[in-house]
Amino acid sequence: MPYKKLADLPDSVRDNLPKHAQEIYQEAYNSAEEQYDEEDRRHRVAWSAVKEKYEKDEDSGEWVEKEG
């Protein structure tokens, strides 16, 4: 089932990612839902999309937008 709003995202996403990264996750997951039957795979696709633009800061442990 697609995520209609950010509040519907899993806690692991909502509690850790900044809003823009959540939006990327939501869009990628919803797009993957049309292509893949496996929920696990849809989540992997969504996390992969987030990791293209965001990374976990080594010092703070927070997800931050990649530079450059």
Side-chain angles (χ1 to χ4, degrees):
M1 180 162 73
Y3 293 113
K4 295 182 189 230
K5 53 190 178 198
L6 297 181
D8 296 336
L9 293 172
D11 291 344
S12 61
V13 174
R14 281 195 338 263
D15 295 345
N16 292 296
L17 296 179
K19 183 179 179 194
H20 181 244
Q22 291 180 37
E23 292 166 347
I24 292 170
Y25 187 98
Q26 178 186 26
E27 186 175 330
Y29 181 92
N30 290 348
S31 177
E33 186 178 51
E34 299 168 7
Q35 300 173 19
Y36 306 112
D37 290 336
E38 303 167 38
E39 184 174 359
D40 231 26
R41 189 166 187 180
R42 296 188 298 250
H43 286 292
R44 286 195 310 268
V45 166
W47 274 111
S48 180
V50 167
K51 291 175 181 178
E52 285 182 26
K53 297 206 177 229
Y54 284 82
E55 62 190 355
K56 206 168 199 180
D57 182 86
E58 292 180 17
D59 296 327
S60 68
E62 306 260 327
W63 285 90
V64 295
E65 200 161 357
K66 289 182 178 180
E67 294 181 21

